[in-house]
Amino acid sequence: MKKRFFGALAFSLVILITGCTTSDGFAFLGSVAEAVGDDSTASAFNSISKATEEITPENEYYIGRSVAANILTNYKTYSSPRLESYLNKICQALVLNSENPDSYNGYHVKILDSGEVNAFSTSGGHILITRGLIECANSEDGLAAVVAHEIGHIQLKHSLKSIKSSRFSSALKATASAVMATELDGMVGDVMGSMLKSGYSQTQEYDADEMALTLMASAGYKPAAMLDILNQMQILESIPSSAGGMFKTHPSAKKRIANVRLAMKSVEIPEDTSSFRRDRYRDETK
């Protein structure tokens, strides 16, 4: 009777306080449940406690590396050391001029040998960009826009938020079924499902675009190049053979263009150094 009473009370507490309870608070409830011998409820609260724990930078890196490895089972890499080195230099310029230049093991860009227009970014600094998306750019500023958008997802921790949301949802179910919180494999599955099936939310995509504008301006790139990329994507969206990729998981290019135009009003435009970047783009992408 005492166990059933505590279980019902505990579930009610979850409903009332999930919006503000910390990991320590759930751990406390778990210890109380253990004390009264309610192992099922104790397991549930221990799971919820685990779901609310912070993910360390080291964990971010290894989760992201595992997700990237899974993506590479679906795509071949494109062998072009020169172009890959060029993209990584652009990435480093953007990251070093950001508000969060440090990461556990740095940022790394790889090229995927696919004509589809797509890109992936995983926690810890892993960025994968298809040939199809790279070909949408006609300048170094355009390439910077592509890379900056992916950096935006990483620095805004969008993949980690999907992990925490999924883990917390699973933990709530554990109140009834005593299912333990997912570990690394489950986290990787969370991100893979989000990235490959449904993508990030529209709000997250808009936020990544807006952050990309700031990153570009801070590194001396022209934020307006984001519009060039999106205009090219809008053209490709209307071609049936271009279906798939980010056209399946992202807001329409038209909506993103409108959002970027609005956001650009508050971004300081850097001095024009386009001639230098244009020459470097021609040299490095031959």
Side-chain angles (χ1 to χ4, degrees), residues 94 136-146 148 209-233 253 256-274 277:
L94 292 163
C136 287
N138 58 13
S139 67
E140 183 171 320
D141 295 272
L143 290 176
V146 170
D209 279 342
E210 291 170 20
M211 185 169 190
L213 298 176
T214 300
L215 289 169
M216 293 171 69
S218 297
Y221 290 109
K222 294 169 60 178
M226 176 70 77
L227 293 174
D228 295 336
I229 289 287
L230 292 173
N231 283 325
Q232 181 63 25
M233 290 173 61
R256 291 177 66 186
I257 287 170
N259 184 69
V260 166
R261 288 190 184 282
L262 184 63
M264 281 183 62
K265 295 179 180 179
S266 60
V267 176
E268 184 176 345
I269 307 301
E271 294 183 12
D272 187 15
T273 56
S274 57
R277 292 196 301 276

Side-chain angles (χ1 to χ4, degrees), residues 36-178:
V36 300
D38 192 342
D39 294 336
S40 177
T41 303
S43 175
F45 276 111
N46 288 334
S47 295
I48 296 172
S49 175
K50 191 165 189 137
T52 58
E53 289 174 0
E54 288 299 318
I55 298 173
T56 68
E58 182 177 1
N59 286 339
E60 285 185 34
Y61 170 75
Y62 284 110
I63 292 168
R65 190 175 73 170
S66 296
V67 173
N70 273 268
I71 292 172
L72 290 175
T73 64
N74 297 313
Y75 293 87
K76 293 181 179 179
T77 57
Y78 180 64
S79 180
S80 177
R82 186 170 184 170
L83 179 56
E84 187 171 294
S85 174
Y86 182 40
L87 288 170
N88 275 282
K89 288 176 182 177
I90 293 172
C91 180
Q92 293 310 311
L94 292 163
V95 170
L96 289 173
N97 286 282
S98 72
E99 293 184 0
N100 299 290
D102 298 323
S103 65
Y104 177 74
N105 195 39
Y107 284 71
H108 305 278
V109 182
K110 295 290 290 184
I111 305 171
L112 302 178
D113 192 8
S114 172
E116 78 176 21
V117 177
N118 216 345
F120 306 95
S121 53
T122 71
S123 62
H126 307 82
I127 297 173
L128 306 170
I129 304 173
T130 63
R131 285 188 299 101
L133 181 53
I134 291 171
E135 289 166 3
C136 287
N138 58 13
S139 67
E140 183 171 320
D141 295 272
L143 290 176
V146 170
V147 176
H149 177 88
E150 301 309 317
I151 294 172
H153 280 308
I154 293 170
Q155 295 200 355
L156 292 169
K157 299 184 181 296
H158 287 162
S159 65
L160 296 182
K161 288 176 181 177
S162 69
I163 287 173
K164 290 182 179 181
S165 175
S166 178
R167 291 174 75 197
F168 193 78
S169 176
S170 296
L172 284 178
K173 292 176 184 176
T175 303
S177 63

